[in-house]
Amino acid sequence: MNIGAYVIRRALLMVVVLVGTITVTFFLSHLVPSNPAIFFGGQNPTPQEIQRITQEYGFNTPLYNQFYIYLRDVLTGNLGMSLSFQLPVLALILEGLPNTLTLAAISTAIALLIGIPLGIEAARHAGKRVDSLLRVFSVGFVGLPQFWLGIILQLVFAIWWGILPIGSYGGTLTYLSFHPIKTITGSYLVDALLSGNMGGFAAIAESMILPVITLSLYPLGIIVRHTRASMLATLNQDYVRTARAYGIPEREINYGLAFRNALPPVLIYAGLIFAGSIIGVIYVEDVFNLIPGIGYLVIYGTGTGISSSGISGSVDTPLILGVAIVTAIIYALSNFAVDLVQIYYDRRIIK
Amino acid sequence: MDVSRRPASSLRRLGRTIRTLSRDRLFFVGVVIVVFLAVIGIFAPWLTPYGDQGAGLAATPVPSCPGVPTEIAGLCPPTLAHPFGTEELGRDLMARVFFGVRTSLTIGLYVVVLATLIGLAVGLTAAFFGGWVDEILMRVTDIFLSFPHIVLALVIVAIIGASFYGVFIALGVVWWPAFARLARGKALVVKTQNFVLAAKAAGMGNGGIIVRHILPNSLAPLVVQMALDMGFAILAEAGLSFLGLGVRPPTADLGVMIFESRFYLTTAWWFALFPGIFLFLLVLSFNLIGDRVTQYLDPRQSGLR
């Protein structure tokens, strides 16, 4: 099989998974509730609204027709209207997505930059004290609840030490209203940089320090563990022993020869971690009161974010389903990207 | 061929694994913490004099603490009578945390058991029948795997409603794919072994072969996976409850407590700290055990997700 055919096959598989995903959300939203029209209409829809929704989604037609309508809508980017915002779901998500992705990308990058060297060190000193210490830390990082970590970081750095702002969205927004940034990519941080608004960039960056720390510890732990495992496997290979016998410096063997071969398995996880950190961003955007992204939409959409009284607010179903579908698309694209990177590193897998 | 002895040999292998692991320091630490927390969870009603609702709001007057503003009078810093302090409604935080650990462990256990049952059903069916049944079931598994756990659980909870059972069902339903794959992989191996072929030749029915022979011999890796997943299931439950999509007040839940503590962060550090520490210990201890077990079973892969 040549590379082109392989890439096309992986792309097709991605499409199959996405259609499957849409099918799952369809079944969950159309079959589980007793009356889907009420479900899509929010808490107390008027009879007229139920009538309109029944017409729009074809709830009075056979199931296959409902599925056809749903599939057609999703594929043409019509994710419905958000109940709480009264705006199209897709527009809301596209507005929030750049900020969420910025946060996810920065924390994944930091986790890779710190995690890979630490993983290599752990592998070099396998079984020694450094290795055990790194293992304890990485297992610990993976077990830290991100929503709690964010709160504790706020407590220590903002309330006790006062060196960083506690929830700086309001402050940042005030600054930005006096020094507006052009919307280019939709990501506030990137746009501030591109439009040369250094004050705005600094304000946004400052508000992102604690969120990025909160988000990167979990992937850091995972990357250290996987780099270590992958490096150990390569260091035991014959060609590494040969290289040692030839007197190639240890540094060059570790960071050049072995590392290059240990990297691809780690990168597989990097893709998954990037996609997975979207979940972390949901918590972090809530905890830190950040510039609104996907997380803000979820908190709003569940209708439960603010009240702890036990009375569930109205659930914004189209919004929640829309976020789920977009997240699944990001997952699928990340997996696809990982496949491409793997081919670049190792042509053998296409056979 | 003595068919009945096969499960025993599989169990003996597990026993040997546990003996080797008991010499591992980190594994030991993990087990000690799990036992400690399990004791807290099981004996919570007897470990604190206050009960899960802190002896009720009416029974104890809201404690008055010197130096604390009246508008947050329910919140008292740690004292001898209240080692973790009290929370917003004046309830003893230690009692709440202990009962929260109980909730976490219960839901965690329910989730992995439900996930194992679904996974076993799907995995064994796929492996035993093979062909297009296998193909369809495994593609469905792939689709569920391609979804992030929490997002799918979020959708399900949004549909069936937030409650103790809502979060347990939602997480159980999204958690099975890993178990299905494991069960299928193991069952594919078991299926070709002589004692299964012998049972088939002796005229045993499909259901009988699956339940009597394939199931007991596929269990060991699933038990390991259950221990591994307990930590992540507990974390996911607390996360959903934190978002208001899980256990609802007044049930004691660590995620809900952490959510509530945010409103008093500037004055009541203990309210955020103690529930979080116990949640962290729960997740950490199961992860430690899982990490060491996987390391032992397959040194090339350390099983953190």
Side-chain angles (χ1 to χ4, degrees), chain A residues 21 148 218 222 225 229 286, chain B residues 147 259 262 272 291 300 305:
Chain A
T21 301
W148 179 64
Y218 172 79
I222 294 181
R225 306 294 290 132
D286 183 31
Chain B
F147 247 77
F259 168 75
R262 290 173 56 197
D291 179 67
R300 275 199 55 193
R305 287 190 301 188

Side-chain angles (χ1 to χ4, degrees), chain A residues 18-31:
Chain A
L18 282 179
V19 171
T21 301
I22 295 167
T23 315
V24 170
T25 54
F26 169 80
F27 274 97
L28 282 174
S29 58
H30 285 65
L31 291 185

Side-chain angles (χ1 to χ4, degrees), chain A residues 16-17 20-21 24-25 28-29 32-33 39 132 135-136 138-148 151-152 154-155 159-160 166 218 221-222 225-226 228-230 233 269 279 282-283 286-287 298-299 302 304-312 315 320-321 323-325 327-328 331 335, chain B residues 24 26 88 139 142-152 154-156 158-160 162 232 235-236 238-240 242-245 248-249 254-256 258-263 265-266 268-269 272-277 279-280 283-284 287-288 291-292 295 299-305:
Chain A
V16 170
V17 167
T21 301
V24 170
T25 54
L28 282 174
S29 58
V32 178
F39 178 64
S132 315
R135 174 176 305 140
V136 172
S138 50
V139 177
F141 287 165
V142 172
L144 272 172
Q146 285 175 324
F147 49 94
W148 179 64
I151 291 173
I152 294 302
Q154 277 182 331
L155 183 68
I159 295 173
W160 286 352
I166 179 162
Y218 172 79
I222 294 181
R225 306 294 290 132
H226 282 295
R228 176 187 180 276
S230 183
Y269 285 95
I279 313 295
I282 293 177
Y283 294 133
D286 183 31
V287 169
V298 170
I299 303 298
T302 56
T304 46
I306 305 305
S307 77
S308 61
S309 58
I311 304 151
S312 160
V315 175
I320 296 285
L321 289 179
V323 170
I325 289 172
T327 316
Y331 257 71
N335 278 329
Chain B
D24 185 298
L26 286 179
E88 54 180 339
R139 290 297 81 77
D142 282 346
I143 289 165
F144 271 86
L145 268 181
S146 69
F147 247 77
H149 281 161
I150 302 252
V151 171
L152 190 53
L154 212 109
V155 173
I156 298 175
I159 291 168
I160 61 180
F232 291 106
L235 190 56
L240 283 177
F242 175 82
L243 292 177
L245 286 171
R248 312 292 303 173
L254 298 174
V256 174
I258 294 171
F259 168 75
E260 286 169 346
S261 78
R262 290 173 56 197
F263 301 105
L265 196 58
T266 45
W269 53 268
L273 193 66
F274 291 110
I277 287 178
L279 178 59
F280 173 55
V283 184
L284 176 74
N287 282 4
L288 271 180
D291 179 67
R292 302 316 296 153
Q295 184 89 15
R300 275 199 55 193
Q301 255 205 1
S302 63
L304 293 177
R305 287 190 301 188

Side-chain angles (χ1 to χ4, degrees), chain A residues 129, chain B residues 21-30 292:
Chain A
R129 175 154 294 194
Chain B
L21 277 167
S22 63
R23 286 194 288 272
D24 185 298
R25 215 182 318 158
L26 286 179
F27 180 79
F28 185 72
V29 171
R292 302 316 296 153

